Amino acid sequence: MDSIRKINFSDFTTISKLERDVFKDCWSKKIIEDQINHVNAINLLLIEKNQVLGYIFAQNYTDFVEIQRIGVSKKARRKRIGETLVKEIEIIAAQLNINKILLEVRKDNLPAIKLYQKLQFGIDSIRKKYYALDNEDAILMSKELT
Ligand SMILES: CC(C)(COP(=O)(O)OP(=O)(O)OC[C@H]1O[C@@H](n2cnc3c(N)ncnc32)[C@H](O)[C@@H]1OP(=O)(O)O)[C@@H](O)C(=O)NCCC(=O)NCCS
Protein backbone atom coordinates (compact mmCIF):
# COMPACT_ATOMS: atom_id res chain seq x y z
CA MET A 1 0.00 0.00 0.00
CA ASP A 2 1.56 3.31 -1.00
CA SER A 3 1.15 6.63 0.73
CA ILE A 4 1.71 10.26 -0.15
CA ARG A 5 2.94 12.88 2.28
CA LYS A 6 4.53 16.31 2.31
CA ILE A 7 8.30 16.50 1.96
CA ASN A 8 10.16 17.89 4.94
CA PHE A 9 13.80 18.68 5.46
CA SER A 10 14.59 15.24 6.83
CA ASP A 11 13.84 13.93 3.30
CA PHE A 12 16.58 16.11 1.76
CA THR A 13 19.16 13.32 1.29
CA THR A 14 16.65 10.82 -0.09
CA ILE A 15 15.14 13.32 -2.51
CA SER A 16 18.57 14.58 -3.63
CA LYS A 17 19.63 11.01 -4.43
CA LEU A 18 16.45 10.30 -6.36
CA GLU A 19 16.83 13.59 -8.25
CA ARG A 20 20.36 12.57 -9.31
CA ASP A 21 19.15 9.13 -10.40
CA VAL A 22 16.22 10.48 -12.38
CA PHE A 23 17.51 13.63 -14.14
CA LYS A 24 20.55 14.20 -16.33
CA ASP A 25 20.20 17.95 -15.62
CA CYS A 26 19.61 17.33 -11.92
CA TRP A 27 19.03 20.24 -9.57
CA SER A 28 21.87 21.27 -7.26
CA LYS A 29 21.57 20.61 -3.53
CA LYS A 30 21.05 24.36 -3.03
CA ILE A 31 18.09 24.48 -5.44
CA ILE A 32 16.54 21.40 -3.79
CA GLU A 33 17.04 22.93 -0.35
CA ASP A 34 15.44 26.21 -1.49
CA GLN A 35 12.49 24.32 -2.97
CA ILE A 36 11.94 22.31 0.22
CA ASN A 37 12.02 25.52 2.27
CA HIS A 38 10.07 27.68 -0.20
CA VAL A 39 7.13 29.41 1.42
CA ASN A 40 4.83 28.65 -1.54
CA ALA A 41 6.02 25.11 -2.11
CA ILE A 42 3.80 22.08 -2.42
CA ASN A 43 6.28 19.23 -2.24
CA LEU A 44 5.07 15.65 -2.03
CA LEU A 45 6.60 12.22 -2.06
CA LEU A 46 5.16 8.77 -2.55
CA ILE A 47 6.33 5.89 -0.37
CA GLU A 48 5.76 2.20 -0.86
CA LYS A 49 7.06 -0.32 1.66
CA ASN A 50 9.24 2.33 3.32
CA GLN A 51 10.85 3.27 0.02
CA VAL A 52 10.47 6.67 -1.60
CA LEU A 53 9.54 5.93 -5.21
CA GLY A 54 8.54 9.34 -6.47
CA TYR A 55 8.30 13.04 -5.68
CA ILE A 56 6.79 16.19 -7.06
CA PHE A 57 7.79 19.81 -6.49
CA ALA A 58 5.26 22.56 -7.13
CA GLN A 59 4.67 26.15 -6.07
CA ASN A 60 1.40 27.93 -5.58
CA TYR A 61 0.78 31.52 -6.62
CA THR A 62 -2.33 33.69 -6.40
CA ASP A 63 -4.17 32.09 -9.29
CA PHE A 64 -2.13 29.12 -10.42
CA VAL A 65 0.01 26.26 -9.23
CA GLU A 66 3.19 25.53 -11.18
CA ILE A 67 4.64 22.02 -11.27
CA GLN A 68 8.42 22.44 -11.14
CA ARG A 69 9.62 18.88 -11.09
CA ILE A 70 8.37 15.33 -10.95
CA GLY A 71 10.53 12.24 -10.68
CA VAL A 72 9.79 8.55 -10.35
CA SER A 73 12.44 5.96 -9.53
CA LYS A 74 13.51 4.10 -12.69
CA LYS A 75 12.56 0.76 -11.16
CA ALA A 76 9.03 1.96 -10.37
CA ARG A 77 7.93 3.52 -13.66
CA ARG A 78 4.59 2.86 -15.37
CA LYS A 79 2.84 2.04 -12.12
CA ARG A 80 0.79 5.27 -12.07
CA ILE A 81 3.05 6.91 -9.48
CA GLY A 82 3.58 10.01 -11.62
CA GLU A 83 -0.13 10.16 -12.37
CA THR A 84 -0.99 9.85 -8.67
CA LEU A 85 1.39 12.65 -7.69
CA VAL A 86 0.06 15.06 -10.33
CA LYS A 87 -3.53 14.26 -9.33
CA GLU A 88 -2.64 14.98 -5.70
CA ILE A 89 -1.32 18.41 -6.72
CA GLU A 90 -4.64 19.02 -8.47
CA ILE A 91 -6.51 18.13 -5.27
CA ILE A 92 -4.37 20.50 -3.20
CA ALA A 93 -4.76 23.29 -5.77
CA ALA A 94 -8.54 22.87 -5.65
CA GLN A 95 -8.44 23.02 -1.85
CA LEU A 96 -6.59 26.34 -2.20
CA ASN A 97 -9.31 27.57 -4.60
CA ILE A 98 -6.80 27.65 -7.43
CA ASN A 99 -8.10 26.32 -10.72
CA LYS A 100 -5.11 26.42 -13.02
CA ILE A 101 -2.01 24.21 -13.12
CA LEU A 102 0.98 25.22 -15.26
CA LEU A 103 4.19 23.44 -16.17
CA GLU A 104 6.93 23.29 -18.73
CA VAL A 105 8.44 20.15 -20.18
CA ARG A 106 11.28 19.34 -22.55
CA LYS A 107 10.05 18.74 -26.09
CA ASP A 108 11.95 15.41 -26.21
CA ASN A 109 10.44 14.13 -22.94
CA LEU A 110 7.76 11.87 -24.38
CA PRO A 111 6.90 9.98 -21.14
CA ALA A 112 6.23 13.26 -19.31
CA ILE A 113 4.29 14.80 -22.21
CA LYS A 114 2.15 11.64 -22.46
CA LEU A 115 1.54 11.71 -18.71
CA TYR A 116 0.34 15.32 -18.82
CA GLN A 117 -1.78 14.72 -21.92
CA LYS A 118 -3.40 11.71 -20.26
CA LEU A 119 -4.35 14.05 -17.41
CA GLN A 120 -5.86 16.55 -19.89
CA PHE A 121 -3.12 19.15 -19.87
CA GLY A 122 -3.10 21.12 -23.12
CA ILE A 123 -0.19 22.73 -24.96
CA ASP A 124 -0.13 26.55 -24.65
CA SER A 125 3.12 27.47 -26.39
CA ILE A 126 6.67 26.46 -27.19
CA ARG A 127 9.81 28.22 -25.94
CA LYS A 128 12.58 27.68 -28.45
CA LYS A 129 15.99 26.52 -27.15
CA TYR A 130 14.85 27.04 -23.58
CA TYR A 131 17.09 24.46 -21.90
CA ALA A 132 20.71 25.61 -21.73
CA LEU A 133 22.07 22.06 -21.34
CA ASP A 134 21.31 21.11 -24.96
CA ASN A 135 19.21 23.93 -26.43
CA GLU A 136 16.07 21.77 -26.36
CA ASP A 137 12.72 23.54 -26.69
CA ALA A 138 10.31 23.77 -23.78
CA ILE A 139 6.62 23.00 -24.17
CA LEU A 140 4.38 25.04 -21.88
CA MET A 141 1.29 23.14 -20.80
CA SER A 142 -1.64 23.92 -18.55
CA LYS A 143 -4.86 22.52 -17.21
CA GLU A 144 -7.96 24.28 -15.91
CA LEU A 145 -9.51 22.44 -13.00
CA THR A 146 -13.27 22.27 -13.23
C1 LIG B 1 7.58 11.21 -16.48
C2 LIG B 1 7.51 10.28 -15.27
C3 LIG B 1 7.41 11.15 -14.00
C4 LIG B 1 6.26 9.38 -15.40
O1 LIG B 1 6.13 8.66 -14.19
P1 LIG B 1 5.46 7.20 -14.14
O2 LIG B 1 5.09 6.95 -12.75
O3 LIG B 1 6.34 6.21 -14.82
O4 LIG B 1 4.17 7.41 -15.05
P2 LIG B 1 2.72 6.74 -14.83
O5 LIG B 1 2.88 5.28 -14.60
O6 LIG B 1 1.97 7.52 -13.81
O7 LIG B 1 2.10 6.96 -16.27
C5 LIG B 1 0.86 7.61 -16.46
C6 LIG B 1 0.65 7.78 -17.95
O8 LIG B 1 1.70 8.57 -18.52
C7 LIG B 1 2.04 8.07 -19.82
N1 LIG B 1 3.40 7.53 -19.79
C8 LIG B 1 4.22 7.43 -18.70
N2 LIG B 1 5.42 6.93 -19.08
C9 LIG B 1 5.36 6.70 -20.42
C10 LIG B 1 6.29 6.21 -21.37
N3 LIG B 1 7.53 5.82 -21.02
N4 LIG B 1 5.88 6.14 -22.66
C11 LIG B 1 4.64 6.53 -23.03
N5 LIG B 1 3.70 7.00 -22.15
C12 LIG B 1 4.07 7.10 -20.87
C13 LIG B 1 1.04 6.97 -20.11
O9 LIG B 1 -0.10 7.59 -20.70
C14 LIG B 1 0.68 6.48 -18.72
O10 LIG B 1 -0.58 5.90 -18.63
P3 LIG B 1 -0.75 4.31 -18.97
O11 LIG B 1 0.29 3.59 -18.16
O12 LIG B 1 -2.17 4.04 -18.54
O13 LIG B 1 -0.52 4.17 -20.43
C15 LIG B 1 8.76 9.35 -15.20
O14 LIG B 1 8.97 8.75 -16.44
C16 LIG B 1 10.06 10.07 -14.80
O15 LIG B 1 10.37 10.19 -13.61
N6 LIG B 1 10.81 10.54 -15.81
C17 LIG B 1 12.10 11.20 -15.53
C18 LIG B 1 11.91 12.57 -14.89
C19 LIG B 1 11.12 13.51 -15.78
O16 LIG B 1 11.36 13.57 -16.98
N7 LIG B 1 10.18 14.28 -15.20
C20 LIG B 1 9.32 15.20 -15.93
C21 LIG B 1 9.90 16.52 -16.16
S1 LIG B 1 10.05 17.48 -14.67
Side-chain angles (χ1 to χ4, degrees), residues 22-23 67-73 76-84 104-106 109-116 118:
V22 164
F23 287 99
I67 295 175
Q68 317 280 334
R69 208 81 167 154
I70 177 168
V72 173
S73 166
R77 301 242 169 112
R78 296 306 288 264
K79 293 176 163 184
R80 308 265 159 86
I81 292 174
E83 190 173 324
T84 303
E104 70 200 26
V105 58
R106 296 172 63 96
N109 193 344
L110 202 62
I113 293 167
K114 292 276 184 197
L115 164 65
Y116 300 132
K118 182 179 180 187

Side-chain angles (χ1 to χ4, degrees), residues 11 22-23 29 63 69 74 81 86 118 122 128 145-146:
D11 301 308
V22 164
F23 287 99
K29 289 189 172 181
D63 55 356
R69 208 81 167 154
K74 286 178 183 158
I81 292 174
V86 174
K118 182 179 180 187
K128 289 281 179 198
L145 306 176
T146 48

